[in-house]
Each structure stands twice: as C-alpha cells, then as structure tokens.
Amino acid sequence: MKKLALCTPLPEEALAKIKETCDVTICGELKHGKGNVTEEMTKEECMGAEIIVLGDEYAGADTLQAWIDAGMKFIGVAKGTPATVDYDTIANAGLQLTYTPGRNAVAVAEYCMGLMIAVARNMCKAVTGLKMGEHLGAPVDDIYDVPDVKNVTWGPLDENHPYTQYGIGFELYGKKLGLAGYGAIGREVGMRAKAFGMELLAYDPYLPADVIEATGARAVDLDTMLSESDIVSIHLPVLPSTRGIVNKDWFSKMKPTAIVVNTARAAVIDQRDFVEALQNKVIGGAAIDVYWQEPIPANHPLLKMDNVLCSPHYAGLTTDVDGWSGRKMAENVFAYLEGKPFPYVWKVKK
C-alpha cells in the first residue's frame, strides 16, 4: 500500500477508490481545522508519505526537501495558484507540481460581478447609511398600517436625500470592462459581464489574440485596456514579473472615473501608488477583496475612503469550492496511481 498524506477534502467516492491501493492519513487543516496548522506540524504529519496532497498548508524548501528525501513522489496543492509551496525545490527534484486550476473560478467570478454592481451603484454606502440611521422616517405606532399611496417614493429630493449623499451610480450595460489577465477566472468574469451587456477588453500577454477573441473579448495591449476601460478587473497571479506591476504608471493611463476591482492578490498592486491614486482622485474608486496584510490593519486608509468598497477576502470561498478542487485533485492522484500524465500541472511563469 502506498502512503498518502491528505490535508484537503476529496469526494467520498474518489477517496474510497484511492483507499483500495493507498494507506491514507488525514493531516494538516483537514485534521486540525482551518488556520490551526503550522508548517512544522504539516512537515511532521506528512513525513514519509509517497503521495502528499495539501490544501492551504505551507511547505517551504526545507519541508519539501525533507519529504523528497523521505520518499515523496507526488505533491499536489488543491489551490488555483499553488503559491504556498516552493516550486523550485519540487522542479529540481524532477517532480511535477499538481494543482487545481479554476477550482474557485465560478465563486470569484460571481463575487467579482457583485463587487462591480455594488461599487457602480454605491450600494454599500447606501445600505450602511440606513443601518446607521441615516435618511429614515420617524418611528410609527404600527408599521403594517400604511397609507394608500400608488407611487411610493423616498422623498423629498433635497440636499439631505440619500441620492444626494450616496450618489446614484451608473449601469454596467454598455461600459467597457478591462480584464488584466484572462485565465480561468478572467474568462468566467468576462462571460458574466457579457450577459450584462459590457464590452470586454482583455490583456494577457501569454494568450494568443485569436484564443481571446474566440470568447467574445477584444484582445488589446496594456495601454488600450487601461485608457478605454470603465472598470479594470485584476486577475493576475503573484510572480516575480507581476509583483507591484499595477502602479502609478497604470493609474495615470486610466480614466479619472475608472474603477479598479481586485479579487486576485494584493501583491500585484503597488500599495502606496494605489492609495495615492485613490486619495488624489487619479482614478474614480475601487472594490477590493484582498490586502497586503490580512486581516487588513484597522488604520489602513482604504477603510476610510468614501470611493472604496472593502470586503474581507470572501471572493474565492463558497460551500462548493472544496468539491471542485477535490474532484480535480482526485484526477491527479488517479493519474499518478495509474502511471498516466497528470491533467493539472503547474508550470510557473517568470
């Protein structure tokens, strides 16, 4: 029996089949719960396994080398971008890094559209304002005793009206959406944005123009995407070539009314340049789900900006995501057990 260390859920049917040829040990966050595992704990629990399947656990060069020396032949990371492990150590050992691309593509894409709608229509400001007691009517004795009025309006429309304070926003229909990165998530966002009647401008130097345009997007260079887009949605992985790439040069080329949406990773945005662009109204606003430190520090200026919507790293998390990643990782494990090529192999881009 091959030893398999499992740190992330797999479908029950797939796991039962794997157990026919593997001795499976539950490790990491699957054993201890989310956020309750150190790298040293993971290293010790997975030691000696031929097959190691991680979820969000970290495995640096020393950990991976120890596993390799102890007989690891397969390493999988059930993430869309396996940034939690040291790729070079795996490659130098002649192994392939398997992962689960697109596992949360639908989750992030749906959330991304929600952020676009919310920021375009000033939804969060309006909802928060009501919760805080702004623009409300006087208390009534019986909320079910309502006047017979056919055209119910929130009035009068004066300087104290919510439309005046919060702004009425704009429609997504007919607007141009710039997609910085057109991988699995970018394409899912684009498909949904098309349903809203948006025009898609996709910038991805790794994809041929004909591949992009076959999906209904327009393949453009960076300057065109930045200068024409009403909303720019970031879908870039964190690589040496992308770290801090979204900077003052980008913002200077954007419309002063443009909105930046980021559900990818904060590290691709230069933090100081971003804050200054928003403070100085170089760009119109932002909807942000990821940060340079998490939880975001309580004194971060983004939290105080009226033109910024912040959410707590929610985009990629749904009750369905583990199912998607589990099915894809199970395919990788079966391929290893059957001596076949892996369907999902990470090939790092510099």
Side-chain angles (χ1 to χ4, degrees):
M1 299 282 280
K2 298 180 183 295
K3 291 186 177 181
L4 187 154
L6 183 63
C7 300
T8 193
L10 298 181
E12 289 185 11
E13 183 177 342
L15 184 57
K17 185 176 179 182
I18 288 170
K19 285 182 176 179
E20 293 176 4
T21 55
C22 295
D23 178 12
V24 178
T25 301
I26 304 302
C27 307
E29 290 191 347
L30 189 57
K31 179 179 181 180
H32 303 285
K34 292 285 187 183
N36 295 326
V37 179
T38 64
E39 182 176 349
E40 190 59 35
M41 290 170 62
T42 305
K43 178 181 179 180
E44 181 179 344
E45 291 180 353
C46 297
M47 189 66 70
E50 178 179 339
I51 303 168
I52 297 178
V53 178
L54 304 177
D56 289 323
E57 296 81 6
Y58 282 87
D62 291 343
T63 296
L64 288 165
Q65 192 59 57
W67 289 342
I68 291 166
D69 293 342
M72 182 184 75
K73 298 291 191 299
F74 173 98
I75 176 71
V77 178
K79 294 176 70 67
T81 302
T84 48
V85 299
D86 186 79
Y87 175 79
D88 289 339
T89 302
I90 296 167
N92 290 339
L95 301 180
Q96 291 183 309
L97 173 58
T98 69
Y99 73 125
T100 55
R103 69 173 187 131
N104 59 3
V106 170
V108 176
E110 291 181 353
Y111 195 88
C112 195
M113 294 306 303
L115 288 180
M116 288 186 210
I117 295 169
V119 73
R121 300 297 298 274
N122 302 315
M123 194 179 294
C124 288
K125 285 191 288 185
V127 170
T128 301
L130 292 189
K131 290 286 189 179
M132 293 177 64
E134 298 172 352
H135 308 291
L136 302 181
V140 297
D141 293 331
D142 183 359
I143 62 169
Y144 301 107
D145 182 16
V146 297
D148 185 14
V149 178
K150 292 183 178 180
N151 184 30
V152 179
T153 61
W154 201 294
L157 184 56
D158 56 21
E159 66 274 7
N160 295 316
H161 196 278
Y163 297 172
T164 306
Q165 180 178 348
Y166 308 136
I168 58 174
F170 61 89
E171 298 174 12
L172 298 184
Y173 181 83
K175 301 302 187 296
K176 292 183 179 181
L177 172 63
L179 294 158
Y182 205 56
I185 295 175
R187 290 192 297 272
E188 290 285 349
V189 173
M191 180 174 65
R192 287 157 179 77
K194 281 181 64 180
F196 278 80
M198 301 187 80
E199 181 181 341
L200 309 182
L201 281 62
Y203 167 70
D204 192 322
Y206 296 105
L207 283 179
D210 60 338
V211 173
I212 292 174
E213 296 190 348
T215 68
R218 177 155 63 101
V220 296
D221 59 26
L222 179 60
D223 285 359
T224 301
M225 188 270 290
L226 293 174
S227 63
E228 293 190 14
S229 296
D230 299 293
I231 298 175
V232 173
S233 190
I234 308 297
H235 302 287
L236 302 172
V238 180
L239 302 169
S241 59
T242 61
R243 189 173 291 274
I245 194 174
V246 183
N247 56 28
K248 60 185 177 183
D249 292 333
W250 281 45
F251 305 135
S252 68
K253 295 172 182 175
M254 293 171 63
K255 296 179 180 180
T257 55
I259 304 296
V260 171
V261 177
N262 190 18
T263 53
R265 284 289 183 265
V268 301
I269 299 180
D270 184 290
Q271 183 175 195
R272 187 179 301 277
D273 287 356
F274 189 48
V275 169
E276 291 178 355
L278 289 162
Q279 288 175 332
N280 299 327
K281 304 297 170 59
V282 175
I283 57 176
I288 304 299
D289 186 54
V290 288
Y291 307 92
W292 299 265
Q293 298 178 61
E294 295 189 6
I296 183 173
N299 62 337
H300 200 287
L302 288 179
L303 296 171
K304 302 296 184 182
M305 293 184 190
D306 196 43
N307 58 339
V308 178
L309 185 161
C310 296
S311 65
H313 207 145
Y314 257 33
L317 185 64
T318 68
T319 55
D320 305 289
V321 167
D322 279 348
W324 292 114
S325 63
R327 283 191 284 274
K328 290 191 171 186
M329 186 51 66
E331 289 182 53
N332 280 325
V333 173
F334 286 135
Y336 174 76
L337 295 175
E338 296 166 8
K340 298 178 179 178
F342 302 135
Y344 309 111
V345 178
W346 175 253
K347 295 179 180 178
V348 70
K349 298 181 180 72
K350 296 297 184 184

